[in-house]
């Protein structure tokens, strides 16, 4: 339970950092600088959030008891702004229960409905590998670590 609380705390903290971002509030002053370069300023504007159709969506697979009293397995994938993502696998079908959590970045191609996520272990920052997924409406086929889960989009 402590791990669940700490992971949620980290997720909320990351969300808060992304939400606050860089407001770039100069109170009308440009300190003598100007942008005469034309074009897009060299690429990534730190004040602009990158979003796509998956931004701020939550996907979940549940096997077993919906109330999570009897043996169950819950796998979820959370897509945030700026292509950040979180992954949780709460497996209580095996004894002892195994809990895995990860974070990383994802790519998504809206034209094909497919994407990938590069994940790191939330406990030790070690690479966990790459997940692949395809989205069709409110359903996601999520493949990771040799398993494929049919996830549904959460509210």
């Amino acid at each position: 339970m402590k791990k669940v609380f700490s992971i949620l705390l980290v997720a909320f903290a990351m969300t808060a950092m992304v939400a606050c971002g860089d407001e770039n509030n100069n109170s009308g002053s440009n300190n003598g600088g100007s942008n005469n370069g034309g074009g897009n300023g060299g690429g990534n504007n730190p004040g602009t959030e990158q979003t796509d159709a998956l931004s701020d969506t939550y996907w979940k697979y549940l096997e077993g008891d919906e109330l999570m009293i009897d043996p169950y397995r819950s796998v979820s994938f959370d897509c945030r702004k700026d292509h950040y993502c979180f992954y949780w696998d709460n497996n209580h079908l095996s004894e002892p229960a195994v809990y895995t959590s990860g974070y990383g970045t994802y790519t998504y191609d809206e034209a094909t409905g497919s994407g990938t996520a590069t994940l790191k272990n939330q406990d030790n920052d070690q690479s966990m590998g790459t997940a692949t997924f395809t989205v069709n409406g409110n359903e996601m086929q999520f493949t990771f670590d040799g398993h494929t889960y049919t996830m549904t989009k959460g509210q």
Side-chain angles (χ1 to χ4, degrees):
M1 190 66 176
K2 288 182 182 180
K3 278 191 175 186
V4 172
F5 180 72
S6 64
I7 289 168
L8 288 174
L9 187 60
V10 169
F12 288 128
M14 298 258 322
T15 302
M17 286 189 303
V18 170
C20 293
D22 178 17
E23 291 184 25
N24 199 10
N25 186 358
N26 291 332
S27 302
S29 167
N30 71 358
N31 295 329
S34 64
N35 182 3
N36 294 327
N40 65 8
N44 206 4
N45 181 352
T48 304
E49 291 179 346
Q50 297 176 359
T51 60
D52 59 30
L54 291 186
S55 289
D56 294 325
T57 60
Y58 177 78
W59 305 82
K60 186 173 184 175
Y61 163 84
L62 180 63
E63 179 180 344
D65 185 6
E66 189 172 326
L67 297 175
M68 299 180 191
I69 296 170
D70 293 328
Y72 69 94
R73 185 172 195 171
S74 172
V75 180
S76 57
F77 184 61
D78 189 5
C79 301
R80 310 305 299 165
K81 289 183 176 88
D82 294 327
H83 300 272
Y84 291 111
C85 61
F86 298 94
Y87 164 81
W88 296 276
D89 184 354
N90 195 357
N91 186 354
H92 286 261
L93 294 175
S94 63
E95 194 58 47
V98 177
Y99 184 76
T100 307
S101 62
Y103 69 96
T105 57
Y106 73 91
T107 61
Y108 180 62
D109 181 356
E110 291 183 52
T112 63
S114 61
T116 61
T118 304
L119 300 170
K120 289 186 177 183
N121 189 302
Q122 206 154 346
D123 291 332
N124 60 21
D125 291 326
Q126 297 296 313
S127 175
M128 293 172 64
T130 301
T132 60
F133 56 88
T134 56
V135 176
N136 185 5
N138 288 331
E139 227 178 56
M140 174 186 281
Q141 292 294 318
F142 186 88
T143 303
F144 182 63
D145 199 25
H147 300 282
T148 300
Y149 307 97
T150 300
M151 298 182 168
T152 54
K153 190 174 183 179
Q155 302 289 334

